[in-house]
Amino acid sequence: MFTSFQVDIMILNTILLLIVTLILYVYFFLKKSYKYFDKHAIPYIKPHWLFGNMKEVVLMKKPTWMGYKDMYEKLEPHRFAGVYFMYKPYIMIRDPELMKTILVKDFSYFKDNEFVSTKHTEPFEKRLFHLSGDEWKNMRVKLTGAFSSIKMKLMFPLMTSCAENIKPALINSTSHRPVFDVKDICGRLMTDMIGSCAFGIDTHSLQNPESEFIKMGRKMFKFRWQTLMRRFFPKNLPPWLVRTLGLGSIPRDVSQYFMKIVEDMVNYREKNNITRGDFLDLLITLRNQNDEITIEDIAAQCFTFLVAGYEGAVNGVAFTLFELARHPEMQNKLRDEILRTLDNNGGKSTHEMMKQMPYMDMVISETLRLYPFGGVHSRKCTENYKIPNSGVVIQKGALLAIPFKSLHLDRRYFEKPDEYYPEHFTAEAKLKSTLLHICPLAKVRDIVLLNDSRKCKSSLGWFTY
């Protein structure tokens, strides 16, 4: 029979043993992880024992793209190099030609996203960004046609209709105060456009900034600790555990809200034989042609349109307005081009008109160079790949980091990398550039599907101001 004192000692010893075991496990785990680049003969900088090469990023003192830019500069002149994000090894691609080879010619080796989901814990994880393998390939083939220039042209009147409400919204915002949040106005405009084109509803966000649709949209983009935590858990957690811990990529009430909108709109249109020529119509048509496409697939791709299209387009317009306010001479030049083009088109804005404004294209391209969507993109190697002109083999399952913004700010590729300088994108500059075939509109997997849509919305968004 043990005394209470002996029991306490045993419990204490057990706890100490568990703590020591955990410390030793973490130590040997990190030690093994930090040998990855030595093992594969990839150059790298010695990492911090816990934070890897991204201490200031992990501690939220710097954005992710800036952490990669620091490493990009330190690892000159290597074409590729190793970077540790905490314990995770990433192979950072620094050379634009190698980047082009990986993302275009040999893309079949890197078609997976880092955060693909193998077990769908929620309907919206069926969107392109979370699919992999044949599942991703089949869905992308089906969706590519939905983002062609012809389809964008069909949706242009819907965007124009939404943009007509920007003037009264601006007047209302400035009637009581001289200062207003221009990004909020841009967000409401893009919400109306995406709601109309992707979900087939009039959200009236410009008239009502507190509409249910925009509230749910804002909630989706808010920082959530659960989303951050999810990155450190194994990717194949059981769906019930993900739901219980709230580790889904989207808050449950947001997912349910948008799912119901899509279900109601699809049922209403099919019942009443209604077509609008929008993105939802295209997905309904695809489902009618292919029994494998479900209502969850339709909802997930509509949600992709919202997630990928909203943030990029809002930032595109907002940062363009910001830079034009700082450079009145550019603002006047762009305004003259818009008025001249409008006059040549009888005062009516059309999809073709967007292609008749080269300076508009230069301005938006420069905005996307200086303020790219994401800044760093990750890929996952799906089978062993030998890097051209080297003896290094990227192993299956390895992660790649594509630091686009680091290249955008590299003086070797742009004359004035730290300045807002639309002349980076003149026809002559494009011919001379070795980089513009991959930036600022990075042609990476799913992103290429939404570039035309995002750029069109950004153009129309600025055009209406």
Side-chain angles (χ1 to χ4, degrees):
M1 190 76 177
F2 294 108
T3 66
S4 59
F5 176 76
Q6 289 174 318
V7 171
D8 290 342
I9 292 295
M10 291 174 63
I11 292 174
L12 181 60
N13 287 337
T14 303
I15 293 173
L16 287 174
L17 180 62
L18 289 174
I19 292 174
V20 171
T21 302
L22 179 62
I23 292 173
L24 288 174
Y25 173 79
V26 171
Y27 171 77
F28 285 109
F29 174 78
L30 293 176
K31 189 174 181 179
K32 181 181 178 181
S33 297
Y34 289 151
K35 287 184 177 179
Y36 183 86
F37 295 128
D38 286 319
K39 181 180 178 181
H40 298 289
I42 297 172
Y44 71 102
I45 293 174
K46 185 178 179 181
H48 183 280
W49 72 274
L50 179 61
F51 301 110
N53 300 117
M54 295 287 173
K55 180 178 179 180
E56 292 185 307
V57 174
V58 175
L59 296 177
M60 298 186 180
K61 294 182 178 180
K62 283 185 177 181
T64 302
W65 72 264
M66 194 174 291
Y68 275 98
K69 182 175 181 293
D70 291 342
M71 297 303 299
Y72 175 89
E73 294 171 348
K74 290 177 182 177
L75 287 162
E76 176 72 27
H78 299 289
R79 296 164 60 220
F80 55 89
V83 173
Y84 286 104
F85 195 112
M86 297 187 72
Y87 64 89
K88 275 189 178 182
Y90 288 81
I91 301 172
M92 179 173 63
I93 308 301
R94 299 184 69 262
D95 176 61
E97 288 302 325
L98 177 57
M99 199 177 292
K100 179 183 178 182
T101 299
I102 287 173
L103 297 179
V104 181
K105 180 183 175 183
D106 297 330
F107 185 67
S108 60
Y109 291 86
F110 304 95
K111 57 189 178 183
D112 276 3
N113 189 293
E114 177 185 355
F115 303 110
V116 296
S117 174
T118 55
K119 291 184 179 180
H120 301 305
T121 57
E122 55 190 37
F124 291 158
E125 284 198 354
K126 290 187 176 183
R127 60 191 191 273
L128 273 177
F129 295 106
H130 284 259
L131 299 180
S132 62
D134 291 337
E135 195 175 18
W136 164 78
K137 183 178 178 181
N138 294 335
M139 184 60 71
R140 189 185 186 281
V141 169
K142 294 166 186 172
L143 289 179
T144 299
F147 290 93
S148 66
S149 58
I150 295 176
K151 300 299 190 298
M152 289 296 105
K153 183 177 179 179
L154 291 174
M155 284 186 262
F156 192 82
L158 298 175
M159 293 189 232
T160 305
S161 177
C162 294
E164 289 173 354
N165 296 317
I166 192 70
K167 186 174 181 179
L170 284 171
I171 292 173
N172 182 58
S173 295
T174 56
S175 60
H176 304 296
R177 57 192 185 282
V179 178
F180 66 97
D181 186 348
V182 71
K183 188 174 181 181
D184 175 66
I185 291 286
C186 295
R188 286 153 57 190
L189 171 61
M190 296 308 159
T191 299
D192 282 349
M193 287 184 176
I194 293 171
S196 180
C197 294
F199 293 89
I201 62 173
D202 295 323
T203 64
H204 303 294
S205 298
L206 281 169
Q207 296 95 325
N208 178 18
E210 298 303 320
S211 68
E212 189 70 12
F213 192 96
I214 201 167
K215 280 183 179 179
M216 287 296 178
R218 287 171 179 164
K219 187 172 183 179
M220 177 184 62
F221 288 106
K222 280 185 177 179
F223 174 79
R224 298 173 68 240
W225 284 106
Q226 295 95 322
T227 305
L228 183 62
M229 289 169 58
R230 187 68 178 92
R231 296 187 64 174
F232 300 100
F233 282 85
K235 69 176 184 177
N236 291 326
L237 285 177
W240 67 265
L241 184 58
V242 173
R243 288 191 293 268
T244 302
L245 298 178
L247 296 176
S249 57
I250 306 162
R252 192 176 305 172
D253 57 337
V254 174
S255 174
Q256 292 173 346
Y257 174 78
F258 286 110
M259 187 70 203
K260 187 174 187 308
I261 286 179
V262 173
E263 287 179 332
D264 290 347
M265 288 307 303
V266 170
N267 291 335
Y268 178 76
R269 291 191 188 189
E270 290 185 333
K271 182 179 179 180
N272 297 280
N273 196 26
I274 293 174
T275 58
R276 294 178 77 241
D278 56 13
F279 184 57
L280 186 58
D281 270 357
L282 300 175
L283 294 176
I284 292 172
T285 301
L286 282 175
R287 189 177 72 156
N288 292 336
Q289 296 170 350
N290 192 324
D291 294 337
E292 295 180 0
I293 295 181
T294 65
I295 188 68
E296 287 81 10
D297 293 324
I298 291 178
Q301 306 324 316
C302 286
F303 199 72
T304 296
F305 200 106
L306 173 62
V307 173
Y310 178 88
E311 193 70 10
V314 170
N315 285 340
V317 177
F319 279 120
T320 299
L321 291 171
F322 168 71
E323 290 293 351
L324 291 175
R326 294 176 64 234
H327 300 89
E329 71 285 356
M330 297 180 189
Q331 184 178 150
N332 291 332
K333 184 175 180 179
L334 180 57
R335 181 182 290 111
D336 290 342
E337 181 181 71
I338 291 173
L339 293 175
R340 184 172 61 254
T341 309
L342 256 180
D343 186 58
N344 294 337
N345 283 270
K348 183 180 179 181
S349 60
T350 63
H351 185 265
E352 291 77 10
M353 175 182 160
M354 297 296 149
K355 300 177 182 179
Q356 299 167 12
M357 297 184 287
Y359 193 67
M360 168 79 84
D361 185 75
M362 289 164 57
V363 165
I364 293 176
S365 294
E366 179 65 356
T367 298
L368 295 174
R369 179 193 71 84
L370 207 54
Y371 307 101
F373 182 61
V376 181
H377 296 290
S378 61
R379 316 297 322 150
K380 187 175 182 179
C381 186
T382 56
E383 55 183 296
N384 290 354
Y385 174 79
K386 184 179 182 299
I387 297 179
N389 303 317
S390 81
V392 175
V393 175
I394 299 177
Q395 301 297 308
K396 179 180 179 180
L399 298 174
L400 267 62
I402 314 293
F404 285 111
K405 188 161 183 176
S406 299
L407 274 74
H408 293 183
L409 299 176
D410 193 324
R411 195 167 295 278
R412 289 175 298 178
Y413 308 120
F414 293 98
E415 181 183 351
K416 301 178 180 179
D418 299 318
E419 297 180 26
Y420 190 79
Y421 187 64
E423 281 67 24
H424 283 140
F425 294 92
T426 61
E428 296 78 10
K430 288 180 180 180
L431 289 174
K432 295 177 182 177
S433 175
T434 59
L435 184 64
L436 293 186
H437 50 261
I438 54 172
C439 74
L441 305 179
K443 295 183 179 179
V444 186
R445 209 182 87 173
D446 323 318
I447 298 172
V448 71
L449 290 178
L450 290 161
N451 279 337
D452 288 341
S453 169
R454 186 181 299 133
K455 198 166 185 180
C456 184
K457 285 183 285 187
S458 295
S459 301
L460 187 57
W462 161 243
F463 172 74
T464 57
Y465 279 84

